[in-house]
Amino acid sequence: MDILFILVVPFLVMVIVTRVTFSLVGATIVTLMIAFVLGVHVQPFWVIGIAIGSFVVGLLVAKKVLERKPGM
């Protein structure tokens, strides 16, 4: 359950927040704040690696979505 949560949350937060803020920097800051609140930084190193991988994939998808539909 924990691994599924770590896999999905950073990806979804990046994509959703980018659609709201129209900014990758803002979405990155919000995603990192949520990760620290959820306690990702106190997990084992392999869980942190999975979270970083999910964040990077979310960043790439959000960038592609932002290029396709730039917002305002």
Side-chain angles (χ1 to χ4, degrees):
M1 179 68 176
D2 214 21
I3 302 304
L4 181 64
F5 188 69
I6 293 296
L7 273 171
V8 173
V9 169
F11 174 79
L12 286 179
V13 169
M14 272 304 292
V15 173
I16 292 169
V17 173
T18 301
R19 292 306 305 150
V20 172
T21 63
F22 306 114
S23 167
L24 290 174
V25 175
T28 300
I29 292 169
V30 170
T31 303
L32 292 177
M33 288 187 326
I34 291 172
F36 274 102
V37 167
L38 293 176
V40 172
H41 63 287
V42 295
Q43 298 293 326
F45 70 93
W46 59 274
V47 174
I48 295 172
I50 292 171
I52 290 172
S54 176
F55 169 75
V56 170
V57 171
L59 182 68
L60 295 174
V61 170
K63 185 177 178 182
K64 187 168 282 205
V65 168
L66 197 59
E67 288 174 356
R68 192 175 44 148
K69 292 176 113 178
M72 295 185 174

